[in-house]
Amino acid sequence: MSGTEKSGQARIVAADSAGAIDEAAKILRAGGLVAFPTETVYGLGANALDDRAVARIFAAKERPSFNPLIVHVHDADEAAGLAVMDDRARAVAAAFWPGPLALVLPRREDCPLSALCSAGLPTLALRVPAHKAARQLLQAAGVPVAAPSANRSGHLSPTTPFHVQESLGAAVDMILAGGPCAVGLESTVLDLSGPVPLILRPGALTPEDIEPFLQQRVVYDSGDQQKPRSPGQLLRHYAPGIPLRLNAVDLEPGEALLAFGSDRFMGVRGGGAARDLPEDSHRNLSESGDLVEAAANLFRMLHELDRPAHRAIAVMNIPDKGMGRAINDRLRKAEAGSRSK
Ligand code: AMP
Ligand code: MG
């Protein structure tokens, strides 16, 4: 599934050819990956409700780490069903959607999206794209679509379908072609989840464009207007409220288990077996040892085990290859974060 495992190239289909949008929508609903044009850059889309589909994005991009993704929706009402939109969010949405602005907002309690879209964080980045083909695709798919730029990690953001084909090869199921991107620059990411509006990623829209609609100063996340930080730096990472213990080969009494692969022979110190743990203390990222399945389950299962009733979460060793590198990167950050709580 990671571009290197498959050979060949994905099919490029003109978005305005007969049946193209419907076929792409069908692939998305079935858990596949579709690259599609937006006014900023080409996006690599997956059904945002589907853990496994979202995990496939990270596999296709060969990202060494899980970053939260921008979820694309058809309109502001759909956004309001997923995240909490206060008056500020409504005002900028009314002014700039559809358009090149992503808003980071608190996830609603009942938000049905995969936790992987938020990389475990309590916030969600949402955008309503303006490109005609993107809008038709969202409408036809009828689901929110998580979509980072459609390039392999470390490659340039794609602004033509051929860039996507070159960069992702056969890791994507279909490429919808809609010509070159009009803006060609990533969307501006504006964080409205706290009291001060923060630009997390500079992009097509500037603070000067946005400020009149907020009646509030917009600042770069560094607090220094002159020196915007690069996107990854500012990102807070999900950390559980209880300690994590990595590379566990057995359990201490009171610990919950996050397993990977077979845990049939895992024991509890002082007597007992992991398989006899109560249901709410035991999750398996992937019994068959499938790293994409493990990625799909990671943040949801950590949240499910993160309860004060447990003294810690013991996590079994995860091989440091393919998607395993991104999983281990996040587990190490979560472990460090839980230690400093
Ligand atoms: P890309 O997926 O390549 O379009 O990039 C998405 C950008 O949005 C990255 O800079 C992310 O760090 C940022 N982002 C997305 N979701 C969140 C979030 N929940 N909190 C903070 N930043 C986010
Ligand atoms: Mg990108």
Side-chain angles (χ1 to χ4, degrees):
M1 209 161 311
S2 72
T4 46
E5 286 162 20
K6 275 199 206 169
S7 59
Q9 296 211 301
R11 224 161 21 107
I12 297 182
V13 181
D16 57 5
S17 62
I21 295 284
D22 285 342
E23 188 190 348
K26 208 160 145 191
I27 292 173
L28 284 177
R29 280 198 302 270
L33 299 183
V34 174
F36 64 96
T38 80
E39 68 278 26
T40 58
V41 301
Y42 272 72
L44 178 62
N47 179 353
L49 298 166
D50 181 339
D51 285 318
R52 214 183 149 93
V54 179
R56 288 191 63 206
I57 289 179
F58 292 94
K61 285 182 69 91
E62 297 179 353
R63 273 201 183 170
S65 169
F66 295 117
N67 296 326
L69 304 173
I70 296 172
V71 175
H72 295 67
V73 292
H74 190 263
D75 53 44
D77 285 343
E78 192 181 352
L82 303 170
V84 181
M85 292 188 71
D86 62 12
D87 291 344
R88 300 173 306 168
R90 295 223 174 248
V92 287
F96 297 107
W97 281 355
L101 178 68
L103 295 180
V104 173
L105 302 168
R107 270 176 87 109
R108 283 176 58 127
E109 289 268 342
D110 57 355
C111 176
L113 299 189
S114 167
L116 200 51
C117 296
S118 301
L121 295 171
T123 54
L124 189 62
L126 291 169
R127 177 163 106 81
V128 176
H131 193 287
K132 186 174 161 211
R135 302 189 60 67
Q136 289 172 334
L137 179 63
L138 288 167
Q139 184 120 51
V143 294
V145 173
S149 50
N151 54 291
R152 194 158 300 189
S153 193
H155 290 212
L156 288 178
S157 291
T159 51
T160 74
F162 305 104
H163 291 160
V164 180
Q165 200 179 44
E166 236 175 296
S167 182
L168 291 176
V172 44
D173 297 305
M174 180 180 181
I175 301 170
L176 266 188
C181 301
V183 178
L185 193 70
E186 256 112 0
S187 59
T188 301
V189 179
L190 176 67
D191 184 351
L192 290 178
S193 67
V196 180
L198 295 175
I199 300 271
L200 301 186
R201 177 174 76 186
L205 294 169
T206 66
E208 293 72 34
D209 293 324
I210 299 166
E211 271 167 0
F213 298 91
L214 283 175
Q215 289 148 350
Q216 218 182 345
R217 281 299 291 280
V218 174
V219 295
Y220 286 103
D221 76 286
S222 60
D224 180 349
Q225 295 254 25
Q226 304 307 313
K227 275 196 250 160
R229 272 198 243 165
S230 73
Q233 269 179 289
L234 55 112
L235 200 63
R236 281 172 300 118
H237 296 296
Y238 163 71
I242 60 175
L244 275 193
R245 190 164 66 80
L246 303 183
N247 300 316
V249 292
D250 58 7
L251 283 173
E252 288 177 31
E255 282 184 335
L257 172 62
L258 186 62
F260 177 80
S262 172
D263 52 23
R264 262 200 306 159
F265 301 111
M266 191 143 194
V268 182
R269 279 178 220 170
R275 63 171 184 272
D276 298 326
L277 286 171
E279 197 276 330
D280 61 0
S281 309
H282 186 188
R283 292 288 181 276
N284 197 321
L285 290 168
S286 170
E287 283 181 27
S288 65
D290 175 345
L291 288 165
V292 177
E293 183 183 16
N297 288 328
L298 179 66
F299 291 108
R300 181 173 42 79
M301 289 185 171
L302 279 170
H303 276 291
E304 286 167 357
L305 295 176
D306 182 12
R307 291 187 295 108
H310 299 133
R311 62 187 279 190
I313 303 171
V315 187
M316 283 171 69
N317 177 64
I318 291 161
D320 213 34
K321 57 174 206 254
M323 290 283 279
R325 285 182 306 148
I327 296 172
N328 283 323
D329 172 75
R330 270 299 180 260
L331 283 171
R332 280 190 296 269
K333 285 176 175 145
E335 191 250 354
S338 70
R339 250 187 291 133
S340 65
K341 268 192 181 173

